[in-house]
Amino acid sequence: MRIGIARLTAALGATAVTAALVVAGGTSAGAAPACTTTYQLNQWTGGFVAQVAVSNAGAALPSWTLTWTFAGDQRVVSGWNATVVQSGRTVSAAGTGALPTGGSAQFGFQATYSGTNATPADFALNGVRCNDDGVPPTTTTTTTTTTPVPPVDCPSGGVCDGFEDQTGVTPSGRWTVGSPNCSGTGTASVDSAVAHSGSKSVRVDGRAGYCNHVFVGTGLSGLPAGQPVFGRFWVRHTTALPEAHVTFLAMRDSADNGKDLRMGGQNRALQWNRESDDATLPEQSPAGVAQSAPLPLNTWTCVEFRVDGANGHLSTWVNGTAVAGLQVDGVPTADVDGQWLRRTGWRPAVTDLRLGWESYGSGDDTLWFDDVALATSRPGCSG
Ligand code: CA
């Protein structure tokens, strides 16, 4: 009992000291701040992308939220690597995971503005002010003087990207390039010569063979959980979908042992494929394939999909028109969803979106992707 009391007293003492240090960091000139931020702006007339980094010099945080206030009329359009929500001039960015003492985190967002785009001066981490009082955060600003590119039309709360903020050849920011099996000759790069909107897109040089798989991927952490996921991307390509099975879109399904839900082609028409059991939608009979559609060549094509995890439904539109052979809607359809429905209780929970190329035997293609939208309502094809 006495030992227990002594330990409790020591613990309380340690807590009090920690609290005093935190207060001192927020109020005393010259004391180290509890957190510091950097704010990297890439702006053009009417819009900007900000890359934000926050470093935690205070106590370890099991979860974290960075808040700030815009001085002007900045409006967040979309965010990545954090859930960025704006209310009036106040913005909060909730990260995923913990932020240990000495740790740092990065996230970004795209926003619109008019007039002056001042750096926020009141960053706070879990309510504790960052940076020294009166000293603004480190800011670097790059102002683009070329023709401004309006933000892609984006559903409320959606994650949308036209790749216009990409500055290098390798996609970065919210995008990660991955070679899932073994690194071969397939490549994914930012292309400044071909675009659906603006001046940039992502180009995928897809090569046949298992080792040449390549994807550009982003997580879905910016979307609210528990709702259907809508996706939209514009794609153009140079080689007709082959007879053999190929994939140009993959989403990790955490409800299917992390296996991919894949969109691609087979028998020269679009199809969905479930990696875990190789089920195809539509069935690959002539009557099934006839209810799908080829992917048009050498022209930008708008592809939209809806993954409804709660009901196990899947919807697909090409240039705004539903494709009969690419629907799982709760009503069995001959030649279309027989393989798919053989597994009852399919309830996908997709956690990312990857665009690229994966062939399993033969099939080369060069593809461009642009104006990607991920949202909880249908994006449409105007963006
Ligand atoms: Ca673009």
Side-chain angles (χ1 to χ4, degrees):
M1 178 66 81
R2 294 178 66 88
I3 292 172
I5 290 169
R7 282 182 177 164
L8 179 61
T9 305
L12 284 170
T15 302
V17 168
T18 303
L21 284 173
V22 169
V23 171
T27 57
S28 299
C35 45
T36 53
T37 59
T38 63
Y39 193 72
Q40 185 180 342
L41 282 175
N42 189 341
Q43 64 185 26
W44 57 93
T45 305
F48 68 95
V49 166
Q51 302 279 358
V52 185
V54 55
S55 298
N56 178 26
L61 303 173
S63 63
W64 63 270
T65 299
L66 189 74
T67 53
W68 67 88
T69 309
F70 282 131
D73 65 353
Q74 294 94 336
R75 295 296 305 180
V76 173
V77 176
S78 66
W80 54 95
N81 296 339
T83 301
V84 185
V85 177
Q86 181 168 4
S87 175
R89 291 182 169 182
T90 304
V91 184
S92 68
T96 54
L99 193 54
T101 301
S104 63
Q106 294 82 36
F107 64 94
F109 64 90
Q110 183 171 336
T112 61
Y113 79 104
S114 63
T116 303
N117 186 22
T119 298
D122 63 345
F123 285 101
L125 182 62
N126 289 15
V128 178
R129 277 289 287 269
C130 297
N131 311 309
D132 289 322
D133 283 353
V135 180
T138 305
T139 305
T140 53
T141 304
T142 306
T143 301
T144 304
T145 54
T146 51
T147 307
V149 178
V152 172
D153 186 23
C154 192
S156 175
V159 173
C160 300
D161 200 332
F163 304 110
E164 296 305 303
D165 62 322
Q166 295 290 329
T167 54
V169 172
T170 301
S172 61
R174 85 185 73 188
W175 298 97
T176 304
V177 179
S179 302
N181 304 109
C182 32
S183 193
T185 57
T187 59
S189 56
V190 175
D191 191 333
S192 297
V194 176
H196 173 257
S197 75
S199 62
K200 295 177 184 176
S201 67
V202 162
R203 170 176 169 151
V204 172
D205 288 90
R207 297 287 169 254
Y210 200 65
C211 273
N212 300 321
H213 298 180
V214 64
F215 288 92
V216 179
T218 185
L220 303 187
S221 60
L223 296 181
Q227 297 188 42
V229 173
F230 286 82
R232 192 273 320 282
F233 57 94
W234 289 83
V235 58
R236 67 180 293 159
H237 71 140
T238 60
T239 308
L241 293 172
E243 300 283 341
H245 181 204
V246 293
T247 291
F248 55 74
L249 178 154
M251 292 180 284
R252 183 181 182 277
D253 183 357
S254 64
D256 195 8
N257 293 316
K259 297 295 187 182
D260 286 342
L261 173 62
R262 312 189 278 209
M263 182 192 283
Q266 192 162 334
N267 288 313
R268 302 180 181 273
L270 292 165
Q271 76 163 12
W272 287 95
N273 171 263
R274 200 161 52 198
E275 182 186 10
S276 58
D277 60 358
D278 210 27
T280 69
L281 180 80
E283 296 184 66
Q284 291 302 306
S285 61
V289 172
Q291 295 185 65
S292 183
L295 185 62
L297 278 180
N298 300 312
T299 184
W300 284 104
T301 300
C302 175
V303 178
E304 295 173 277
F305 64 85
R306 174 181 187 260
V307 180
D308 179 352
N311 296 300
H313 293 176
L314 195 53
S315 311
T316 317
W317 300 264
V318 173
N319 287 331
T321 301
V323 180
L326 301 173
Q327 316 287 332
V328 178
D329 57 6
V331 180
T333 305
D335 301 304
V336 172
D337 55 10
Q339 267 193 26
W340 209 266
L341 298 177
R342 201 164 298 154
R343 182 196 296 171
T344 57
W346 178 68
R347 296 291 182 270
V350 293
T351 60
D352 70 354
L353 173 83
R354 279 163 283 141
L355 299 166
W357 189 253
E358 188 168 286
S359 73
Y360 310 95
S362 58
D364 291 24
D365 203 352
T366 302
L367 310 91
W368 290 264
F369 297 96
D370 202 357
D371 294 326
V372 178
L374 293 160
T376 53
S377 59
R378 192 175 159 193
C381 294
S382 61

